[in-house]
Amino acid sequence: RAADLGVAWRVRTDGPILSTPAVRGDTLYAATAIGGLFRVTLAPEPAIHKIADLSWPVTSAPVLLDSLIMLGGADGTVRAFGMDGNERWRLRIGRPAENPPRLIVDGFLALGGRGDLHRYRQ
């Protein structure tokens, strides 16, 4: 809470969340370092749901692009998941994919592990 810096709510995941969650409305999306992808709805009461159990270490914050959740991995791949947790596509950009994709008007930018910049259009 902003008024007293007290905890307003708390949920438990399968491991540490090392990056900033993505937020849309009253829902946030978070990934754990060991590969759990979670949706947390905050209203009316906080509730957590595991969307996917990934078999690779997540290295970037989740990014929401339309109805997709994009995540970077230690293997240098950016993957996009539907809200149901199913993988929709993947892009190899170079190890590791630590920086979250940056949304632009017609798609997104991804920074590869060698300092290379990739632009993707929708």
Side-chain angles (χ1 to χ4, degrees):
R1 295 179 300 269
D4 61 3
L5 298 181
V7 175
W9 56 268
R10 181 176 300 174
V11 294
R12 182 170 295 280
T13 65
D14 63 0
I17 296 173
L18 301 177
S19 61
T20 306
V23 178
R24 181 175 288 157
D26 65 351
T27 305
L28 63 87
Y29 299 86
T32 61
I34 64 171
L37 180 57
F38 293 88
R39 177 177 54 242
V40 180
T41 53
L42 302 176
E45 293 293 322
I48 190 166
H49 173 72
K50 191 171 198 176
I51 299 172
D53 194 9
L54 311 171
S55 60
W56 44 274
V58 175
T59 53
S60 81
V63 173
L64 301 176
L65 175 66
D66 298 327
S67 62
L68 298 173
I69 306 163
M70 295 188 296
L71 292 168
D75 64 351
T77 303
V78 173
R79 293 171 176 88
F81 297 89
M83 296 297 170
D84 59 2
N86 290 320
E87 186 175 320
R88 299 287 195 257
W89 51 258
R90 64 175 63 186
L91 301 167
R92 298 270 310 147
I93 62 168
R95 290 189 159 162
E98 295 178 314
N99 296 292
R102 304 289 181 206
L103 300 181
I104 56 176
V105 173
D106 60 349
F108 65 94
L109 300 173
L111 182 62
R114 295 174 297 274
D116 45 326
L117 185 63
H118 306 264
R119 178 180 178 169
Y120 298 95
R121 291 187 176 164
Q122 286 181 265

